[in-house]
Short mmCIF file of all heavy atoms in Angstrom, two decimals:
data_model
loop_
_atom_site.label_atom_id
_atom_site.label_comp_id
_atom_site.label_asym_id
_atom_site.label_seq_id
_atom_site.Cartn_x
_atom_site.Cartn_y
_atom_site.Cartn_z
N TYR A 189 226.07 14.34 4.53
CA TYR A 189 225.49 15.62 4.02
C TYR A 189 226.55 16.34 3.16
O TYR A 189 227.47 16.87 3.66
CB TYR A 189 225.05 16.55 5.17
CG TYR A 189 224.02 15.91 6.09
CD1 TYR A 189 224.38 15.63 7.38
CD2 TYR A 189 222.73 15.69 5.65
CE1 TYR A 189 223.47 15.05 8.28
CE2 TYR A 189 221.79 15.11 6.47
CZ TYR A 189 222.16 14.77 7.76
OH TYR A 189 221.26 14.20 8.62
N GLN A 190 226.31 16.34 1.85
CA GLN A 190 227.24 16.98 0.92
C GLN A 190 226.58 18.06 0.10
O GLN A 190 225.42 17.87 -0.32
CB GLN A 190 227.81 15.93 -0.07
CG GLN A 190 228.47 14.77 0.60
CD GLN A 190 229.13 13.80 -0.35
OE1 GLN A 190 229.45 14.16 -1.49
NE2 GLN A 190 229.35 12.58 0.12
N LEU A 191 227.23 19.19 -0.07
CA LEU A 191 226.59 20.29 -0.79
C LEU A 191 226.60 19.97 -2.29
O LEU A 191 227.57 19.38 -2.83
CB LEU A 191 227.38 21.61 -0.50
CG LEU A 191 227.21 22.05 0.96
CD1 LEU A 191 228.30 23.03 1.33
CD2 LEU A 191 225.86 22.64 1.20
N ASN A 192 225.54 20.40 -3.00
CA ASN A 192 225.46 20.03 -4.41
C ASN A 192 226.31 20.87 -5.29
O ASN A 192 226.72 21.97 -4.94
CB ASN A 192 223.96 20.00 -4.84
CG ASN A 192 223.35 21.38 -4.98
OD1 ASN A 192 223.99 22.30 -5.45
ND2 ASN A 192 222.12 21.55 -4.52
N GLN A 193 226.63 20.30 -6.43
CA GLN A 193 227.63 20.92 -7.33
C GLN A 193 227.18 22.28 -7.89
O GLN A 193 228.01 23.22 -7.86
CB GLN A 193 227.93 19.93 -8.51
CG GLN A 193 229.09 20.36 -9.30
CD GLN A 193 229.39 19.38 -10.42
OE1 GLN A 193 228.95 18.24 -10.35
NE2 GLN A 193 230.13 19.83 -11.40
N PRO A 194 225.93 22.45 -8.34
CA PRO A 194 225.53 23.80 -8.84
C PRO A 194 225.72 24.89 -7.76
O PRO A 194 226.15 26.01 -8.08
CB PRO A 194 224.05 23.66 -9.23
CG PRO A 194 223.86 22.16 -9.43
CD PRO A 194 224.82 21.47 -8.52
N LEU A 195 225.41 24.61 -6.52
CA LEU A 195 225.56 25.57 -5.46
C LEU A 195 227.04 25.89 -5.30
O LEU A 195 227.43 27.05 -5.22
CB LEU A 195 224.99 25.03 -4.16
CG LEU A 195 225.33 25.97 -2.97
CD1 LEU A 195 224.40 27.18 -2.96
CD2 LEU A 195 225.30 25.24 -1.66
N ILE A 196 227.87 24.84 -5.21
CA ILE A 196 229.29 25.12 -4.99
C ILE A 196 229.91 25.88 -6.15
O ILE A 196 230.66 26.88 -5.96
CB ILE A 196 230.10 23.79 -4.76
CG1 ILE A 196 229.66 23.17 -3.45
CG2 ILE A 196 231.62 23.98 -4.79
CD1 ILE A 196 229.88 24.03 -2.21
N ASP A 197 229.48 25.56 -7.39
CA ASP A 197 229.96 26.33 -8.58
C ASP A 197 229.62 27.86 -8.40
O ASP A 197 230.42 28.69 -8.60
CB ASP A 197 229.28 25.84 -9.87
CG ASP A 197 229.91 24.47 -10.28
OD1 ASP A 197 230.99 24.08 -9.74
OD2 ASP A 197 229.33 23.80 -11.14
N ARG A 198 228.39 28.06 -7.97
CA ARG A 198 227.85 29.46 -7.80
C ARG A 198 228.68 30.14 -6.72
O ARG A 198 229.09 31.32 -6.91
CB ARG A 198 226.37 29.40 -7.49
CG ARG A 198 225.64 30.68 -7.64
CD ARG A 198 224.16 30.41 -8.04
NE ARG A 198 223.55 29.29 -7.35
CZ ARG A 198 222.65 29.43 -6.33
NH1 ARG A 198 222.31 30.61 -5.91
NH2 ARG A 198 222.13 28.40 -5.78
N LEU A 199 228.88 29.49 -5.61
CA LEU A 199 229.56 30.11 -4.48
C LEU A 199 230.99 30.36 -4.85
O LEU A 199 231.55 31.47 -4.51
CB LEU A 199 229.50 29.21 -3.21
CG LEU A 199 228.14 29.13 -2.52
CD1 LEU A 199 228.17 28.03 -1.42
CD2 LEU A 199 227.73 30.50 -1.86
N VAL A 200 231.65 29.43 -5.53
CA VAL A 200 233.10 29.60 -5.83
C VAL A 200 233.29 30.69 -6.87
O VAL A 200 234.19 31.50 -6.78
CB VAL A 200 233.69 28.26 -6.25
CG1 VAL A 200 235.13 28.47 -6.76
CG2 VAL A 200 233.75 27.28 -5.05
N ASP A 201 232.31 30.73 -7.85
CA ASP A 201 232.39 31.85 -8.87
C ASP A 201 232.26 33.19 -8.20
O ASP A 201 232.92 34.17 -8.58
CB ASP A 201 231.23 31.75 -9.82
CG ASP A 201 231.48 30.69 -10.90
OD1 ASP A 201 232.62 30.19 -10.97
OD2 ASP A 201 230.55 30.35 -11.68
N THR A 202 231.47 33.24 -7.15
CA THR A 202 231.20 34.58 -6.49
C THR A 202 232.33 34.92 -5.48
O THR A 202 232.80 36.04 -5.47
CB THR A 202 229.86 34.50 -5.73
OG1 THR A 202 228.86 33.98 -6.61
CG2 THR A 202 229.46 35.88 -5.24
N TYR A 203 232.73 33.91 -4.69
CA TYR A 203 233.61 34.25 -3.55
C TYR A 203 235.02 33.63 -3.68
O TYR A 203 235.90 34.00 -2.87
CB TYR A 203 232.98 33.74 -2.23
CG TYR A 203 231.63 34.28 -1.96
CD1 TYR A 203 230.50 33.46 -2.02
CD2 TYR A 203 231.41 35.62 -1.64
CE1 TYR A 203 229.22 33.94 -1.75
CE2 TYR A 203 230.17 36.13 -1.35
CZ TYR A 203 229.10 35.26 -1.44
OH TYR A 203 227.81 35.76 -1.17
N GLY A 204 235.22 32.68 -4.53
CA GLY A 204 236.53 32.04 -4.58
C GLY A 204 236.72 31.00 -3.41
O GLY A 204 235.78 30.67 -2.73
N ILE A 205 237.95 30.53 -3.35
CA ILE A 205 238.30 29.55 -2.32
C ILE A 205 239.60 30.07 -1.65
O ILE A 205 240.52 30.49 -2.33
CB ILE A 205 238.58 28.18 -2.86
CG1 ILE A 205 237.38 27.62 -3.65
CG2 ILE A 205 239.00 27.18 -1.80
CD1 ILE A 205 237.61 26.27 -4.34
N VAL A 206 239.65 29.96 -0.29
CA VAL A 206 240.90 30.29 0.43
C VAL A 206 241.42 28.94 0.99
O VAL A 206 240.71 28.20 1.67
CB VAL A 206 240.63 31.29 1.57
CG1 VAL A 206 241.89 31.43 2.42
CG2 VAL A 206 240.26 32.64 0.94
N HIS A 207 242.65 28.65 0.66
CA HIS A 207 243.30 27.37 1.15
C HIS A 207 243.89 27.67 2.51
O HIS A 207 244.68 28.60 2.66
CB HIS A 207 244.34 26.88 0.17
CG HIS A 207 243.76 26.23 -1.01
ND1 HIS A 207 244.50 25.86 -2.08
CD2 HIS A 207 242.47 25.95 -1.31
CE1 HIS A 207 243.69 25.33 -3.05
NE2 HIS A 207 242.44 25.33 -2.58
N ALA A 208 243.57 26.80 3.49
CA ALA A 208 244.05 27.00 4.83
C ALA A 208 245.44 26.38 4.95
O ALA A 208 245.58 25.31 5.51
CB ALA A 208 243.07 26.32 5.83
N THR A 209 246.42 27.12 4.45
CA THR A 209 247.79 26.64 4.52
C THR A 209 248.50 27.31 5.72
O THR A 209 247.94 28.23 6.35
CB THR A 209 248.55 26.97 3.19
OG1 THR A 209 248.43 28.36 2.95
CG2 THR A 209 247.96 26.19 2.04
N GLY A 210 249.72 26.89 5.98
CA GLY A 210 250.52 27.53 7.05
C GLY A 210 251.32 26.48 7.76
O GLY A 210 251.01 25.31 7.71
N PRO A 211 252.36 26.93 8.45
CA PRO A 211 253.24 25.99 9.15
C PRO A 211 252.54 25.32 10.35
O PRO A 211 251.48 25.84 10.81
CB PRO A 211 254.40 26.86 9.64
CG PRO A 211 253.89 28.28 9.58
CD PRO A 211 252.81 28.33 8.57
N ALA A 212 253.12 24.27 10.83
CA ALA A 212 252.58 23.62 12.04
C ALA A 212 252.48 24.71 13.15
O ALA A 212 253.31 25.57 13.24
CB ALA A 212 253.56 22.50 12.50
N GLY A 213 251.38 24.63 13.89
CA GLY A 213 251.16 25.64 14.91
C GLY A 213 250.15 26.71 14.51
O GLY A 213 249.64 27.47 15.33
N THR A 214 249.82 26.80 13.19
CA THR A 214 248.88 27.78 12.70
C THR A 214 247.47 27.32 13.13
O THR A 214 247.18 26.10 13.06
CB THR A 214 248.86 27.82 11.17
OG1 THR A 214 250.18 28.12 10.73
CG2 THR A 214 247.88 28.83 10.61
N ALA A 215 246.64 28.24 13.53
CA ALA A 215 245.25 27.87 13.85
C ALA A 215 244.30 28.64 12.89
O ALA A 215 244.56 29.76 12.49
CB ALA A 215 244.89 28.28 15.30
N TRP A 216 243.27 27.91 12.45
CA TRP A 216 242.22 28.48 11.65
C TRP A 216 240.90 28.31 12.36
O TRP A 216 240.51 27.16 12.64
CB TRP A 216 242.12 27.82 10.27
CG TRP A 216 243.26 28.12 9.33
CD1 TRP A 216 244.47 27.52 9.28
CD2 TRP A 216 243.27 29.10 8.32
NE1 TRP A 216 245.25 28.06 8.28
CE2 TRP A 216 244.55 29.05 7.66
CE3 TRP A 216 242.32 30.09 7.86
CZ2 TRP A 216 244.90 29.90 6.59
CZ3 TRP A 216 242.72 30.89 6.79
CH2 TRP A 216 243.98 30.81 6.16
N TRP A 217 240.21 29.38 12.69
CA TRP A 217 238.89 29.32 13.26
C TRP A 217 237.88 29.36 12.10
O TRP A 217 238.03 30.16 11.22
CB TRP A 217 238.61 30.51 14.19
CG TRP A 217 239.53 30.44 15.42
CD1 TRP A 217 240.82 30.91 15.51
CD2 TRP A 217 239.16 29.92 16.72
NE1 TRP A 217 241.23 30.67 16.76
CE2 TRP A 217 240.31 30.07 17.55
CE3 TRP A 217 238.01 29.33 17.24
CZ2 TRP A 217 240.28 29.63 18.88
CZ3 TRP A 217 238.01 28.89 18.55
CH2 TRP A 217 239.14 29.04 19.34
N PHE A 218 236.83 28.49 12.18
CA PHE A 218 235.83 28.57 11.16
C PHE A 218 234.47 28.23 11.70
O PHE A 218 234.34 27.43 12.64
CB PHE A 218 236.12 27.75 9.87
CG PHE A 218 236.32 26.23 10.07
CD1 PHE A 218 235.27 25.41 9.62
CD2 PHE A 218 237.41 25.69 10.64
CE1 PHE A 218 235.43 24.02 9.75
CE2 PHE A 218 237.56 24.33 10.76
CZ PHE A 218 236.57 23.49 10.36
N SER A 219 233.42 28.87 11.09
CA SER A 219 232.09 28.77 11.65
C SER A 219 231.45 27.44 11.19
O SER A 219 231.86 26.82 10.24
CB SER A 219 231.24 29.93 11.19
OG SER A 219 230.25 29.56 10.28
N GLY A 220 230.42 27.01 11.93
CA GLY A 220 229.73 25.77 11.63
C GLY A 220 229.00 25.77 10.28
O GLY A 220 228.62 24.72 9.75
N ASN A 221 228.81 26.94 9.72
CA ASN A 221 228.13 27.04 8.42
C ASN A 221 229.04 27.40 7.25
O ASN A 221 228.57 27.58 6.10
CB ASN A 221 226.93 28.03 8.47
CG ASN A 221 225.73 27.42 9.15
OD1 ASN A 221 225.55 26.21 9.08
ND2 ASN A 221 224.94 28.21 9.80
N THR A 222 230.33 27.53 7.50
CA THR A 222 231.30 27.82 6.42
C THR A 222 231.44 26.63 5.51
O THR A 222 231.67 25.49 6.01
CB THR A 222 232.66 28.24 7.00
OG1 THR A 222 232.45 29.36 7.87
CG2 THR A 222 233.63 28.57 5.87
N CYS A 223 231.21 26.78 4.23
CA CYS A 223 231.36 25.63 3.29
C CYS A 223 232.82 25.33 3.08
O CYS A 223 233.66 26.25 2.86
CB CYS A 223 230.75 26.01 1.92
SG CYS A 223 229.03 26.44 2.04
N HIS A 224 233.18 24.05 3.23
CA HIS A 224 234.59 23.68 3.11
C HIS A 224 234.71 22.25 2.60
O HIS A 224 233.79 21.48 2.59
CB HIS A 224 235.30 23.86 4.45
CG HIS A 224 234.76 23.04 5.58
ND1 HIS A 224 233.54 23.33 6.23
CD2 HIS A 224 235.21 21.95 6.22
CE1 HIS A 224 233.31 22.41 7.14
NE2 HIS A 224 234.31 21.56 7.18
N ALA A 225 235.93 21.93 2.15
CA ALA A 225 236.29 20.62 1.59
C ALA A 225 237.81 20.49 1.62
O ALA A 225 238.50 21.48 1.88
CB ALA A 225 235.77 20.58 0.13
N SER A 226 238.28 19.31 1.33
CA SER A 226 239.74 19.24 1.06
C SER A 226 240.05 18.01 0.14
O SER A 226 239.22 17.05 0.10
CB SER A 226 240.55 19.08 2.39
OG SER A 226 240.25 17.90 3.03
N SER A 227 241.12 18.09 -0.58
CA SER A 227 241.42 17.05 -1.54
C SER A 227 242.34 16.01 -0.89
O SER A 227 242.82 16.12 0.22
CB SER A 227 242.10 17.65 -2.77
OG SER A 227 243.24 18.39 -2.39
N ALA A 228 242.49 14.92 -1.67
CA ALA A 228 243.39 13.78 -1.14
C ALA A 228 244.85 14.27 -1.03
O ALA A 228 245.19 15.26 -1.62
CB ALA A 228 243.30 12.64 -2.15
N ASN A 229 245.57 13.55 -0.25
CA ASN A 229 247.02 13.90 -0.02
C ASN A 229 247.88 13.01 -0.84
O ASN A 229 248.21 11.87 -0.43
CB ASN A 229 247.31 13.82 1.44
CG ASN A 229 248.81 14.22 1.71
OD1 ASN A 229 249.46 14.74 0.80
ND2 ASN A 229 249.25 14.06 2.93
N LEU A 230 248.26 13.47 -2.05
CA LEU A 230 249.11 12.62 -2.89
C LEU A 230 250.57 12.98 -2.69
O LEU A 230 251.48 12.41 -3.30
CB LEU A 230 248.78 12.84 -4.38
CG LEU A 230 247.29 12.44 -4.76
CD1 LEU A 230 247.05 12.66 -6.25
CD2 LEU A 230 246.97 11.03 -4.31
N SER A 231 250.86 13.92 -1.81
CA SER A 231 252.24 14.34 -1.57
C SER A 231 252.97 13.32 -0.71
O SER A 231 252.33 12.38 -0.21
CB SER A 231 252.29 15.70 -0.90
OG SER A 231 252.07 15.55 0.51
N GLY A 232 254.20 13.50 -0.50
CA GLY A 232 254.98 12.59 0.37
C GLY A 232 254.99 13.08 1.81
O GLY A 232 255.76 12.56 2.61
N ARG A 233 254.13 14.06 2.11
CA ARG A 233 254.15 14.61 3.49
C ARG A 233 252.80 14.50 4.14
O ARG A 233 251.78 14.78 3.54
CB ARG A 233 254.55 16.12 3.45
CG ARG A 233 256.00 16.36 3.19
CD ARG A 233 256.29 17.74 2.71
NE ARG A 233 255.71 17.97 1.39
CZ ARG A 233 254.70 18.78 1.08
NH1 ARG A 233 254.12 19.44 2.05
NH2 ARG A 233 254.26 18.88 -0.10
N GLU A 234 252.82 14.02 5.39
CA GLU A 234 251.58 13.86 6.13
C GLU A 234 250.94 15.25 6.38
O GLU A 234 251.64 16.27 6.45
CB GLU A 234 251.88 13.18 7.47
CG GLU A 234 250.69 12.73 8.25
CD GLU A 234 251.06 11.72 9.35
OE1 GLU A 234 252.24 11.54 9.63
OE2 GLU A 234 250.13 11.14 9.90
N ARG A 235 249.61 15.25 6.51
CA ARG A 235 248.91 16.51 6.88
C ARG A 235 248.00 16.30 8.07
O ARG A 235 246.81 16.05 7.90
CB ARG A 235 248.09 17.02 5.67
CG ARG A 235 247.55 18.44 5.84
CD ARG A 235 246.09 18.56 5.62
NE ARG A 235 245.26 17.71 6.49
CZ ARG A 235 243.92 17.80 6.51
NH1 ARG A 235 243.29 18.61 5.72
NH2 ARG A 235 243.23 16.95 7.35
N LYS A 236 248.55 16.38 9.24
CA LYS A 236 247.70 16.18 10.43
C LYS A 236 247.16 17.52 10.94
O LYS A 236 247.92 18.46 11.06
CB LYS A 236 248.53 15.53 11.56
CG LYS A 236 248.75 14.05 11.47
CD LYS A 236 249.37 13.50 12.75
CE LYS A 236 250.63 14.17 13.17
NZ LYS A 236 251.67 14.39 12.21
N VAL A 237 245.88 17.53 11.24
CA VAL A 237 245.25 18.73 11.84
C VAL A 237 244.44 18.24 13.05
O VAL A 237 243.85 17.14 13.04
CB VAL A 237 244.39 19.54 10.89
CG1 VAL A 237 245.22 20.10 9.72
CG2 VAL A 237 243.22 18.72 10.33
#
Side-chain angles (χ1 to χ4, degrees):
Y189 301 111
Q190 303 186 21
L191 292 163
N192 70 43
Q193 191 179 340
L195 172 80
I196 293 301
D197 286 346
R198 196 148 42 102
L199 287 171
V200 173
D201 280 351
T202 312
Y203 303 110
I205 301 176
V206 171
H207 286 172
T209 56
T214 304
W216 288 85
W217 293 84
F218 62 104
S219 111
N221 282 330
T222 302
C223 301
H224 60 287
S226 66
S227 55
N229 182 8
L230 301 182
S231 81
R233 286 162 292 110
E234 193 164 8
R235 191 234 57 174
K236 280 188 306 309
V237 297

